Amino acid sequence: MAILVLAVVVGIAFWLNRRYSEPGAAPAEVGAVGWAAAMRWTTVRPLARADAGRLLRHPSFLVGAVLTPLMIVAAIGGEPDSSWLRASTSIALALVPLGWATIIAANLVALRPRRTGADELLSAAPSPQPVRSVALMLSAIPAATVAAVLAAGTMVFVGRSHHFSGSFLAAEAAAGLLIVAGSVVVGVGVARWLPHLGFGILAAAATAVIQARFFELDAWPWHRSQADPLRFLAFLAEPTSVDLPVLEVRHAGWHLAYLAGLVLVMAGVALARNGVPRPLGALLGATVVVTAAAGWAQLRPPGEERMAEMISYITDPVSHQTCTQDATVRYCAPPEEAGRVADWRDRVTGVQALLPPPVAARTLRVTYRPPTVIGNSDCAPQPFFDGLHPAVADKVAAADVWPDDGAVHPGTPRFPCGGSLTQEFFTAVQVGAWAVDLPPSPHHLDVRCSATGQARAVAALWLGAAATPDGAQTLRALVAEPTDVPGLLTFAGWNDPPMWGVRFAAADAELALRLLEMPKEQVAEALAGAWDEVVAPATTSAELARLVGLTPPVAGAPGHRTGAGPACP
Amino acid sequence: MSTATIQLDGITKSYGSVKALDSLSLSIGPGVTGFLGPNGAGKTTLLRMMATVLAPDSGRMEVLGSDPQRNEGRLAIRRRLGYFPQEPGYYLNLSAFAFVDYIAILKEHTDRAARRAEVRRVLELVDLGDVLHKKLKAMSGGMRRRVIVAQALLGRPELLVLDEPTVGIDPEQRLRFREVVSRIAEDHTVVLSTHQTEDVAAMCQRVVVMDKGRVRFDGTTDELAAHASGRVWSAAEADPSARLSWRTGTGQHRLIGDPPAGSQLVEPTLEDAYLLLIGHTTAAAQGA
């Protein structure tokens, strides 16, 4: 597919060249003077000013500029509560289309003498080609300035309706500005070496292909994890889907140095079109070394101290979390999840209000743990460990991250891929499951048993939904979600599934929905009156239905699954 | 080092199998030198070499004391050169002022105030002072060519190379152009290629007639005109035996060659001499 796209782009490039070449105007065989000892660099400044004006007014650049705020809003707008890490890197990513447009604009501005047939007239002027090239490339500064203003202005607008945890990461966002600046250099360089229309478009396409290769995890030339540091050799590297700044290993400063080095190398290549005098050769060599060093620096594993901090965060989270105690319930959350504690508290007290007093008085711990499966930018599910730096992932085990400690581990607060918030419905169901003695599980991948057809499964689902605002609606939506095992709630394709340790049947969820249509107090009283029976593993959901006065579901009917692994003890 | 502004020795240039310049040697000094010749004579090729935008295949050149084959020489020449190419090309979205200002920057006029004053000066010289900020795309072809003349005059260059500068320019402006060029040529060198023999007659102290890459005539305009002395006639009817003949606006026929019966000898113009010379050359080549 990539080859086909490339072939189409090359074809368009050559068609454009034939379409817009001046047939009558013979290009000057001897163009602008190359490197000369008597060169005057004083021309650079006024020339740069003139060229910058043409670049910033070029239709291609203007289109890119208009699109930039829209791209930023599209990249960030969908997540009203996010981290500055993700927002900062999204700003950089949103500037890439402006970069493509700038490559084309800079290329066309550089080729303007040729396109208009004025190259013979202009090349007869004394200003040497290296001076002209430097002046053109200095347009990168105003171009990047425009990008910065657009990004800042858009973020002021977005910030009114969004909350970002952490601090703004200027170095991350600045990568986007360097990309815009570098795009000017690429456009000029391509014009110098391939002075034909269409190659600017080809260059923009090539940068997109190169970047896309780095975004894909399983395409040639590699098969790698999401957190592989090799990705920092691209122009941009997204944060991993772990989305926790403490677990992100990013050498933002080195990446800026790397990008700046690439820009300078390209600038040197553009200037080399007229020869490589010794100073340019030395500068080019030094820049290549600096770029390579910066690239290598990004690949280094974190230092020992940083490694220890990351491992501690994962395996001893309580030491990095803030805990609060409410009577018999203890809540622990890291700073970035602290905003959810209030909702967890509401769900727990909501469930406790529906329980028999002795059950409600039991000790409970609600402790945040990282999700087991995370999603990347295109919502493809990735294991959590794939989001860890390989050096860190090698030193931790799943049992360290998700200990079997009997606590409720709140997972995702929303439907998949940035879908609607559930107001901690999944956590409420976990609390309900705890209340009816269903075995807790450390994480979603560790499904201990199947509660399908058990009365306590219905009770857990009902307790969770009844304690959650719009819980019935959420449960209904959950039942309608795709499943890979008919009759079971399996969260097929979810990149961040809830941490439910047991398998529930869709039929049991439907019975819970019928209970939700009854007065809450009535159901609670009926359950409390036969609590020991309700929580007994042998009690079926049909018996529960009779207990509360409902027609039991038909066993074996479509949607009711009586076997999905070992039954919960 | 030669004292001539331009020194050409054995210059040759070919485009494939076509020889545009055939071992041409010439020396050009201060004043206005006009180049005449039919299409394909090699005039533009030669002027492009003088303007350092084209390199010869062989031969030696020296322009303003520098060798245009070397970067340093080319740079030195271009700092003292004003060039009007045959097909200039324009930045149509720019105004006349902005376009000439841009070229002034490329000509290393870095002081902004001085540069803007110079741009204004040259545009006023070509009577475009009232339309400084008019966009080139809104100008007629003649006006655009005057803009190109203006840019060639930037910085009062020691050498002006003008390739058909008066094409499309109205007679009044052509007069103005002659006046400007003549003033410049008082102490500078102007090389001019044109099909307009009246321009050559009005401006040039020296005329070079080229054909098929070679010089056919090199001398003063009077000497060229004298070449046709006694060979130009006026008659009521055309004479098929005449070398060249055409009907004039008065209804009379102008004939060049041997006197036909009933004709009247007339004073030859430069154009008559040029036509006679080129016709001579063509006939000789065909005979050969």
Side-chain angles (χ1 to χ4, degrees):
Chain A
M1 177 57 124
I3 293 172
L4 181 64
V5 168
L6 203 60
V8 168
V9 171
V10 169
I12 291 172
F14 278 102
W15 176 80
L16 276 171
N17 181 50
R18 284 174 65 93
R19 171 79 172 80
Y20 290 105
S21 290
E22 291 277 346
E29 289 189 24
V30 180
V33 174
W35 296 94
M39 287 168 61
R40 287 181 198 154
W41 290 95
T42 50
T43 315
V44 166
R45 201 168 156 184
L47 207 52
R49 202 177 287 130
D51 288 334
R54 288 193 290 143
L55 175 72
L56 297 184
R57 287 195 297 268
H58 195 278
S60 180
F61 184 84
L62 290 173
V63 167
V66 165
L67 284 177
T68 293
L70 303 174
M71 297 300 300
I72 294 175
V73 169
I76 296 172
E79 296 181 83
D81 287 292
S82 182
S83 65
W84 267 119
L85 169 63
R86 196 156 286 282
S88 304
T89 53
S90 294
I91 289 170
L93 195 61
L95 289 173
V96 167
L98 177 59
W100 295 333
T102 304
I103 289 176
I104 294 169
N107 183 258
L108 290 176
V109 167
L111 287 176
R112 195 172 187 186
R114 189 180 181 89
R115 290 188 296 116
T116 57
D119 54 346
E120 183 171 329
L121 172 64
L122 298 184
S123 67
S127 199
Q129 190 75 309
V131 170
R132 303 184 197 204
S133 296
V134 168
L136 265 169
M137 289 191 283
L138 284 177
S139 302
I141 298 172
T145 305
V146 167
V149 168
L150 287 171
T154 308
M155 286 311 295
V156 166
F157 172 73
V158 168
R160 292 187 307 180
S161 56
H162 285 64
H163 170 259
F164 300 111
S165 60
S167 306
F168 174 62
L169 300 168
E172 296 285 356
L177 303 183
L178 265 179
I179 282 172
V180 172
S183 299
V184 174
V185 176
V186 168
V188 173
V190 169
R192 290 294 181 251
W193 284 93
L194 298 167
H196 299 283
L197 271 175
F199 281 104
I201 299 173
L202 209 60
T207 59
V209 168
I210 291 169
Q211 181 64 53
R213 289 287 93 180
F214 279 90
F215 277 150
E216 291 183 43
L217 303 178
D218 294 311
W220 183 88
W222 47 47
H223 171 81
R224 59 175 178 82
S225 71
Q226 201 185 53
D228 191 323
L230 270 178
R231 72 192 201 279
F232 290 106
L233 297 182
F235 306 122
L236 285 178
E238 286 187 300
T240 66
S241 301
V242 169
D243 202 16
L244 287 170
V246 66
L247 295 180
E248 285 285 340
V249 179
R250 299 179 70 87
H251 304 286
W254 281 115
H255 192 67
L256 284 182
Y258 172 71
L259 284 179
L262 285 178
V263 170
L264 289 174
V265 167
M266 266 304 306
V269 168
L271 292 174
R273 185 65 180 89
N274 296 102
V276 187
R278 201 164 289 166
L280 178 63
L283 198 64
L284 206 51
T287 307
V288 167
V289 168
V290 167
T291 307
W296 170 82
Q298 294 179 101
L299 303 181
R300 290 175 302 128
E304 289 296 324
E305 200 177 310
R306 181 83 206 280
M307 285 269 284
E309 183 195 2
M310 293 166 69
I311 292 169
S312 165
Y313 187 92
I314 297 168
T315 58
D316 182 22
V318 174
S319 64
H320 298 268
Q321 295 177 352
T322 302
C323 295
T324 55
Q325 183 83 39
D326 287 356
T328 58
V329 185
R330 188 172 174 80
Y331 305 92
C332 293
E336 56 272 8
E337 302 293 330
R340 296 173 63 188
V341 172
D343 283 341
W344 296 344
R345 183 175 286 116
D346 288 346
R347 299 298 86 78
V348 168
T349 53
V351 169
Q352 285 176 325
L354 300 170
L355 296 172
V359 180
R362 280 161 44 189
T363 303
L364 171 66
R365 282 176 297 126
V366 179
T367 307
Y368 177 81
R369 286 282 191 269
T372 47
V373 179
I374 53 180
N376 57 14
S377 60
D378 62 2
C379 286
Q382 300 286 334
F384 172 76
F385 272 66
D386 268 11
L388 296 178
H389 192 284
V392 174
D394 281 346
K395 289 186 163 56
V396 296
D400 299 329
V401 183
W402 301 285
D404 195 359
D405 59 2
V408 165
H409 299 156
T412 179
R414 56 171 73 246
F415 274 78
C417 296
S420 56
L421 286 165
T422 65
Q423 303 195 70
E424 300 295 348
F425 167 82
F426 302 129
T427 303
V429 170
Q430 283 173 266
V431 175
W434 159 82
V436 298
D437 295 332
L438 278 171
S441 170
H443 56 79
H444 169 256
L445 296 178
D446 187 1
V447 179
R448 296 293 171 88
C449 57
S450 170
T452 60
Q454 293 185 4
R456 54 183 176 166
V458 178
L461 289 167
W462 174 80
L463 283 167
T468 306
D470 299 322
Q473 187 180 329
T474 304
L475 182 58
R476 203 169 287 118
L478 197 60
V479 172
E481 279 283 308
T483 175
D484 48 13
V485 180
L488 295 182
L489 305 180
T490 61
F491 309 104
W494 282 44
N495 60 355
D496 187 8
M499 293 199 193
W500 288 0
V502 303
R503 188 71 75 218
F504 291 99
D508 293 336
E510 280 158 9
L511 181 54
L513 283 167
R514 291 169 64 197
L515 290 180
L516 288 166
E517 290 169 6
M518 299 169 60
K520 206 187 291 187
E521 298 73 20
Q522 181 184 336
V523 176
E525 198 179 324
L527 293 180
W531 187 256
D532 290 339
E533 189 186 345
V534 167
V535 303
T539 308
T540 66
S541 48
E543 286 164 339
L544 177 67
R546 278 187 220 100
L547 180 71
V548 297
L550 291 177
T551 308
V554 177
H560 184 87
R561 182 118 180 157
T562 54
C568 293
Chain B
M1 191 189 301
S2 165
T3 55
T5 306
I6 300 172
Q7 184 68 44
L8 310 168
D9 294 313
I11 296 296
T12 305
K13 180 72 179 179
S14 297
Y15 295 110
S17 59
V18 174
K19 207 164 230 182
L21 293 175
D22 188 359
S23 195
L24 190 140
S25 296
L26 213 51
S27 183
I28 300 173
V32 184
T33 303
F35 280 80
L36 284 172
N39 295 333
K43 305 187 301 297
T44 293
T45 300
L46 181 61
L47 262 65
R48 292 179 76 205
M49 287 181 186
M50 293 176 187
T52 72
V53 295
L54 187 66
D57 292 338
S58 63
R60 203 183 67 84
M61 275 184 75
E62 188 180 279
V63 179
L64 292 168
S66 299
D67 179 5
Q69 300 279 64
R70 295 174 56 246
N71 268 357
E72 301 292 345
R74 212 155 42 243
L75 186 59
I77 294 166
R78 290 178 180 181
R79 283 184 174 144
R80 300 150 71 189
L81 169 76
Y83 179 44
F84 186 120
Q86 188 181 42
E87 295 183 31
Y90 308 91
Y91 284 7
L92 293 173
N93 281 337
L94 295 185
S95 67
F97 188 94
F99 184 57
V100 177
D101 186 62
Y102 185 70
I103 296 175
I105 297 173
L106 290 174
K107 289 191 171 185
E108 300 179 334
H109 295 253
T110 53
D111 181 270
R112 187 180 166 120
R115 182 178 73 243
R116 292 170 79 89
E118 177 65 5
V119 169
R120 202 175 301 272
R121 182 189 75 84
V122 296
L123 284 170
E124 284 170 355
L125 260 181
V126 297
D127 280 344
L128 290 177
D130 293 339
V131 291
L132 292 179
H133 301 293
K134 189 171 184 177
K135 290 208 169 157
L136 291 173
K137 65 182 173 187
M139 289 184 170
S140 67
M143 288 174 81
R144 287 182 201 163
R145 291 185 80 84
R146 281 152 61 192
V147 171
I148 303 300
V149 171
Q151 66 79 33
L153 300 175
L154 282 168
R156 304 172 202 268
E158 292 173 47
L159 171 63
L160 258 185
V161 176
L162 310 170
D163 196 346
E164 300 187 30
T166 57
V167 169
I169 294 182
D170 61 51
E172 189 183 344
Q173 288 304 321
R174 191 178 296 136
L175 274 176
R176 183 103 168 95
F177 172 78
R178 291 176 189 170
E179 185 188 341
V180 169
V181 167
S182 299
R183 229 178 312 122
I184 291 171
E186 283 172 7
D187 49 5
H188 291 108
T189 303
V190 179
V191 176
L192 173 74
S193 155
T194 182
H195 288 297
Q196 312 287 340
T197 52
E198 312 90 65
D199 288 339
V200 174
M203 287 188 292
C204 302
Q205 293 87 37
R206 176 182 174 193
V207 58
V208 176
V209 178
M210 291 181 63
D211 189 22
K212 290 185 173 58
R214 290 175 178 241
V215 173
R216 300 302 176 188
F217 175 86
D218 183 0
T220 65
T221 51
D222 288 340
E223 287 168 359
L224 178 60
H227 183 72
S229 182
R231 303 294 303 278
V232 183
W233 309 89
S234 177
E237 301 291 332
D239 184 352
S241 66
R243 190 172 292 281
L244 286 162
S245 71
W246 64 93
R247 190 172 186 278
T248 67
T250 60
Q252 289 287 306
H253 285 84
R254 198 173 179 91
L255 307 127
I256 300 176
D258 295 325
S263 61
Q264 193 179 354
L265 187 69
V266 293
E267 195 65 29
T269 65
L270 199 65
E271 185 179 54
D272 296 330
Y274 165 76
L275 289 171
L276 180 63
L277 180 66
I278 294 302
H280 234 300
T281 309
T282 305
Q286 285 173 346

